Amino acid sequence: MRLLLLGATGQVGHELRCALAPLGDVIAATRSGLLADGTACLRADLADAASLAQALATAQADVIVNAAAYTAVDRAEDEPELAERINHRALGEIGAWAAHHGARVVHYATDYVFDGSATRPYREDDPTAPLGVYGRTKLAGEDALRASGAAHLIFRTAWVCAAHGHNFLRTMLRLAAERDELRVVADQVGAPTPARWIAEVTAAAIRRWGTDGGTRRVAAVSHPTGALTSGDAQALDLAGTYHLVAGGQCSWYDFAAAIVHGAAARGLLARAPRVLPITSADYPTRARRPAYSVLDCTKLKNAFGLESPDWRVGLDEVLDELAANVGEGNTISTQPSP
C-alpha cells in the first residue's frame, strides 16, 4: 500500500518512518520539503491549503498518517488563527480527500481535549472540555475528521518523549547539565509515552485494520452498490478514537527525578542536580494545563490486542538509546528537529 506520512521529522513522525516501512511505500512529507538530514521529500504545509491539497494529490495514498500539528501550547494563545488552520481546518481537508478517494486516515490527538478534573483515567467517551486554544483546535480537528466520513483512527496520546526532537526529557537533561537544582511541577499527572511506542502501535493497528496492499479502497468508493467485503466491514468496525499512552502515571516532578537518576547512572550527566517539587502556581504559563492527563487504554487493548508497558520501561529505553548515541561519539543535542 501507499502511505503518506505528514510531519515526518517530528518526534512521532521520525519513528513512524521506520515503523511503517514494512507496510508498504512510505511517502514522507514535511512543511519544508526536507528531512532532518537535508534530503528532499514531499512538501506538505498544513498551514497552506494549496500545499496540502497538492501533497494529497501527488501521493495518492491508501493511508494518510498525520503526525503534523501546531503544538506550541502557550504560543497558540497568541496565534489562534494559525493553530486553528493547522489543527482543525487541515484535518477537514484531509478527511474530505480521503472520503472522496476511499483512503484511510490515522491522526494523533491529545490529552488537552480534557480539562484534567477527573479522578480516574479518561475514557474515549468522557466529556471533553479543553482549557485553551491548543486543546480546542485539536478537538475541532478530531470532530472535522469524524464529520468528513473518512475511515479513520484517532489516537489520543500525551507526554510524548524521545531521544530526538524537542521534549521534556531532553530539556531536563540540558538543564540538569547546567544547574545544581531543578524545580519541577508536581501537581500535574500523566504518563510519559515514548514516540517509538506510539509509532509501533500505529503500525500494528494499521496492519490489524484490514490492510490489503492498496488494491482496494474502503466502503462506497470501491463498492458503489453499497456491498462491503469482510475487509471493508472490519476497517469500518475498528475505525474510531483510541487512547494511546504508557502504563502507570507520575507527575512532571516524578518524571524529572527519574530522568536525572537514570541519566546519571548511564553517565549522561557528570553529576545529578537536586530535583525539587513545586506547584503549578509557582510556574505560571500562558496557557492552562490539565492537572490530570492519565488516559484509559482499555479500548485499544480490546480492539487491537495492544498494550503499552509502564512509563518507566519506556524511559529506560530512551535513556539507553541516548547513552548508545553518546557511546558512538555523538552529542546530545537539545534543539528541536526541523
Side-chain angles (χ1 to χ4, degrees):
M1 76 176 93
R2 291 171 61 83
L3 301 101
L4 172 60
L5 172 57
L6 301 171
T9 54
Q11 292 186 88
V12 176
H14 176 86
E15 300 292 350
L16 281 166
R17 288 178 61 200
C18 295
L20 297 178
L23 300 182
D25 181 15
V26 178
I27 304 161
T30 67
R31 182 177 59 188
S32 65
L34 297 172
L35 297 176
D37 62 1
T39 303
C41 66
L42 186 64
R43 181 176 179 272
D45 184 358
L46 270 64
D48 181 348
S51 170
L52 176 58
Q54 181 61 49
L56 294 170
T58 299
Q60 288 294 311
D62 303 296
V63 179
I64 302 162
V65 181
N66 180 37
Y70 183 108
T71 58
V73 175
D74 290 320
R75 197 188 314 151
E77 298 298 315
D78 301 312
E79 297 181 336
E81 295 84 4
L82 183 58
E84 170 76 10
R85 166 64 220 167
I86 295 171
N87 291 343
H88 173 200
R89 293 200 298 274
L91 262 294
E93 293 159 11
I94 292 168
W97 188 94
H100 182 73
H101 294 83
R104 303 172 188 175
V105 181
V106 177
H107 174 63
Y108 300 97
T110 174
D111 57 305
Y112 277 64
V113 300
F114 300 112
D115 65 6
S117 63
T119 56
R120 53 139 178 91
Y122 281 102
R123 303 185 187 106
E124 289 81 356
D125 58 357
D126 281 331
T128 52
L131 298 174
V133 171
Y134 171 67
R136 286 198 297 271
T137 58
K138 289 292 287 182
L139 179 59
E142 288 187 23
D143 291 340
L145 180 55
R146 295 187 190 102
S148 72
H152 64 270
L153 294 176
I154 297 173
F155 291 121
R156 288 181 183 147
T157 191
W159 292 33
V160 179
C161 61
H164 50 83
H166 183 60
N167 57 66
F168 178 85
L169 183 153
R170 288 164 58 81
T171 298
M172 287 300 103
L173 288 177
R174 174 176 58 81
L175 295 177
E178 300 170 351
R179 303 179 183 180
D180 295 323
E181 179 179 287
L182 300 178
R183 295 162 55 82
V184 185
V185 170
D187 57 1
Q188 295 175 20
V189 176
T193 305
R196 181 164 297 169
W197 289 3
I198 296 171
E200 291 171 349
V201 167
T202 299
I206 291 174
R207 187 179 294 110
R208 173 76 174 82
W209 198 19
T211 57
D212 55 48
T215 59
R216 172 181 30 82
R217 301 285 185 145
V218 297
V221 170
S222 56
H223 299 284
T225 62
L228 302 181
T229 69
S230 60
D232 291 330
Q234 180 190 55
L236 295 175
D237 184 55
L238 291 175
T241 303
Y242 297 87
H243 287 170
L244 169 51
V245 293
Q249 64 183 57
C250 66
S251 68
W252 288 118
Y253 161 75
D254 297 325
F255 189 29
I259 291 167
V260 168
H261 176 78
R266 290 166 173 81
L268 294 171
L269 295 173
R271 50 159 181 75
R274 297 185 302 277
V275 183
L276 303 178
I278 62 173
T279 67
S280 297
D282 296 323
Y283 187 74
T285 55
R286 180 77 173 84
R288 292 174 60 196
R289 268 70 170 168
Y292 186 80
S293 292
V294 183
L295 306 180
D296 186 330
C297 300
T298 302
K299 181 181 176 183
L300 179 72
K301 179 181 177 181
N302 291 343
F304 295 100
L306 302 170
E307 187 172 12
S308 294
D310 187 84
W311 67 269
R312 298 174 188 84
V313 176
L315 172 59
D316 284 341
E317 290 181 2
V318 174
L319 290 176
D320 286 345
E321 181 180 351
L322 286 168
N325 290 340
V326 171
E328 293 173 356
N330 299 316
T331 59
I332 301 176
S333 170
T334 55
Q335 296 303 312
S337 298

